[in-house]
Amino acid sequence: MSAMETHNDRVVIVGAGLAGFGVASGLRKLGHVGPITLLGEEAHAPYDRPPLSKQFQIDGDEAALRLSPEPLPEVQLLSGCPAVALDLEQRMVQLQDGRRLPWDRLVLATGTRPRMLPALATSPRVMSLRTLDDARALRQRLGAATRLLVVGGGPIGLELAAMAQQLGCHATVVEAGPRLMGRSAPALIAEHLLQHHRSQGVDIHLGRTVVSVEDNGLALLDDGKVLQADVVVVGIGVLANDGLAVAAGIDADDGIFVDGWCRTNVAGVFAVGDVTRQVHPLSGRLERMETWSNAQGQAAALAAALVEPATAKPYDETPWYWSDQGSLRLQCAGLTEGDTHALRGDPASGSFVLLQWKAGRLCGVSAINAARDFNLLRRLLAAGSTLTPEVLAAPDANLKQLVQQAQSA
Ligand SMILES: Cc1cc2nc3c(=O)[nH]c(=O)nc-3n(C[C@H](O)[C@H](O)[C@H](O)COP(=O)(O)OP(=O)(O)OC[C@H]3O[C@@H](n4cnc5c(N)ncnc54)[C@H](O)[C@@H]3O)c2cc1C
């Protein structure tokens, strides 16, 4: 198909989060002239989620969340309008309100939903945090609360615990694993976070879980301990919203399988963002990335591929994310484990980078309050650097120069 033909395609995007919005805006910017429809299950215009567990809990500023101050030019946004089925033969999307939308290119950007502990699901004090509506409800409850209990010691739970402390609400975190951030950060970083949050007054219970929460706020842990909580937030990970895809026969397993061009196994059907499962460029495993940068990067790559298929490049950015936990900015790229590690900077100073290598190649960079070094080292990681621990950890290493050398090699 020539570029001119694809420019006129009818594109329907299911899911109006960061990834869906990114595809729509990218297509328009790159000159796609055919109709674009962006379908959102939520009643809101596209907004950004990271502030929901951070600044939004303090200032409640909803305008600051919007992904675009103005509606996207000539994009039909249907908010509060879930898609309920895909007809791949007829190339139609079935909407809940009975309408059927035809497409030439279909993009699935349906994101994820929080996992819940079944034993806690019906308690009126228990909630999760994914949407603006969740964040509004949590903010309202925190305003009247003095004790927050967070189940899950991952990034969102720790961000919330830090926010609650800032709001004068005592936070307790209960984590089932032996350490914090078990899936998303190296052990040494997790230990630093543990010490930091404890020093700020957050109570943290490792290797424990919450078995019940009474309507009066009494929470029972599996070791028999009882805690009192006004609000309980469960942050134990997410599940992919891949039900539409699965029902239509698109390959998925808690995440829609895509290649570097965001293609599914069905011609003309693409998927982007948290809902996808793709090959991790460093581990080689099929993984869900669940990060802002992945949603944005895949969306931009797909828009480019749809407008100019002949020159399209696969999306292969080294995965990375950030997490603001009170006064700490954590940034992690690549893998969380290697066979060798080195520190750049001193953890006691509050600003440092943990570098990790596997078989002589840089495989992971994790920074605490060291954004400049992180951004340079992330580029070395992406370039497949084999520079040694001695070189990269040296306090006088000129990282900018090393990046330039690596990129011109
Ligand atoms: C509280 C919070 C804090 C975060 N903080 C960070 C951070 O600090 N750093 C970071 O890197 N990442 C962070 N993230 C992750 C980041 O926000 C996500 O990776 C990103 O939002 C993924 O975008 P997405 O468009 O793929 O999915 P989503 O943002 O989940 O959007 C998917 C949209 O699709 C809609 N949808 C689902 N099914 C249908 C349907 N059938 N029909 C129509 N619409 C449908 C959903 O309602 C949703 O609005 C955070 C996430 C949360 C929830």
Side-chain angles (χ1 to χ4, degrees):
M1 183 176 279
S2 76
M4 275 320 290
E5 282 172 81
T6 56
H7 280 201
N8 293 314
D9 280 348
R10 291 165 300 184
V11 179
V12 172
I13 304 165
V14 184
L18 179 68
F21 173 86
V23 175
S25 60
L27 284 173
R28 278 289 172 256
K29 265 187 221 137
L30 295 172
H32 179 88
V33 289
I36 300 173
T37 304
L38 183 56
L39 289 175
E41 182 176 48
E42 295 180 66
H44 312 288
Y47 63 89
D48 213 12
R49 290 182 207 278
L52 300 181
S53 50
K54 309 179 183 70
Q55 190 60 23
F56 179 79
Q57 291 303 324
I58 296 203
D59 61 23
D61 184 355
E62 296 196 6
L65 303 177
R66 276 186 216 126
L67 287 175
S68 163
E70 305 292 335
L72 286 176
E74 292 171 51
V75 170
Q76 185 187 25
L77 171 66
L78 300 179
S79 299
C81 198
V84 291
L86 309 175
D87 181 339
L88 299 182
E89 229 162 75
Q90 302 290 319
R91 297 201 153 201
M92 292 276 182
V93 176
Q94 172 82 46
L95 307 187
Q96 194 177 53
D97 63 14
R99 276 179 286 174
R100 281 166 68 81
L101 297 182
W103 47 269
D104 301 304
R105 296 281 180 268
L106 175 67
V107 180
L108 301 174
T110 45
T112 57
R113 62 189 182 282
R115 284 181 58 216
M116 183 43 83
L117 287 169
L120 309 190
T122 55
S123 168
R125 300 217 180 201
V126 176
M127 55 185 299
S128 50
L129 175 61
R130 180 76 196 173
T131 65
L132 174 56
D133 291 342
D134 295 337
R136 282 177 178 166
L138 176 61
R139 188 165 183 273
Q140 198 176 18
R141 289 191 192 192
L142 281 181
T146 57
R147 288 152 307 190
L148 167 70
L149 172 58
V150 176
V151 185
I156 291 180
L158 294 173
E159 289 174 3
L160 277 179
M163 274 300 118
Q165 294 284 132
Q166 279 187 36
L167 291 166
C169 177
H170 178 258
T172 301
V173 175
V174 176
E175 162 59 47
R179 68 171 176 91
L180 298 175
M181 305 279 290
R183 286 188 312 129
S184 45
L188 189 143
I189 294 285
E191 182 58 29
H192 187 85
L193 295 175
L194 178 72
Q195 300 308 334
H196 170 80
H197 288 295
R198 282 189 171 153
S199 76
Q200 299 303 301
V202 179
D203 279 332
I204 301 183
H205 302 260
L206 297 176
R208 297 268 71 93
T209 188
V210 178
V211 292
S212 65
V213 176
E214 303 294 321
D215 289 359
N216 62 6
L218 287 180
L220 176 65
L221 307 198
D222 59 347
D223 60 354
K225 194 170 270 137
V226 177
L227 304 173
Q228 178 71 43
D230 303 308
V231 189
V232 180
V233 179
V234 177
I236 56 167
V238 291
L239 297 166
N241 290 326
D242 60 4
L244 282 179
V246 171
I250 297 167
D251 282 352
D253 180 8
D254 191 19
I256 302 171
F257 296 122
V258 293
D259 64 9
W261 286 269
C262 308
R263 294 180 297 202
T264 69
N265 64 313
V266 175
V269 181
F270 304 83
V272 283
D274 281 11
V275 75
T276 63
R277 204 172 265 282
Q278 60 194 298
V279 175
H280 189 295
L282 291 170
S283 75
R285 288 192 296 263
L286 276 166
E287 291 183 24
R288 282 214 325 269
M289 305 304 178
E290 299 173 24
T291 65
W292 190 95
S293 66
N294 176 66
Q296 204 208 28
Q298 273 188 320
L302 175 59
L306 289 176
V307 174
E308 292 296 348
T311 54
K313 292 198 186 74
Y315 174 71
D316 61 356
E317 189 172 297
T318 303
W320 72 275
Y321 73 92
W322 82 95
S323 170
D324 291 333
Q325 303 183 11
S327 60
L328 295 192
R329 164 156 287 203
L330 165 68
Q331 292 166 295
C332 291
L335 303 179
T336 57
E337 278 178 30
D339 52 40
T340 309
H341 76 266
L343 286 175
R344 202 180 145 73
D346 179 5
S349 72
S351 164
F352 69 100
V353 183
L354 170 68
L355 296 147
Q356 303 200 86
W357 284 260
K358 207 169 213 172
R361 185 180 156 171
L362 191 61
C363 71
V365 177
S366 306
I368 299 276
N369 289 348
R372 184 182 175 276
D373 277 8
F374 174 80
N375 287 326
L376 292 167
L377 289 162
R378 184 164 73 83
R379 285 152 73 185
L380 282 176
L381 174 70
S385 175
T386 52
L387 289 168
T388 62
E390 291 69 32
V391 172
L392 291 184
D396 59 353
N398 185 336
L399 294 180
K400 204 169 167 188
Q401 204 172 54
L402 293 172
V403 170
Q404 281 162 359
Q405 283 165 0
Q407 288 178 338
S408 61

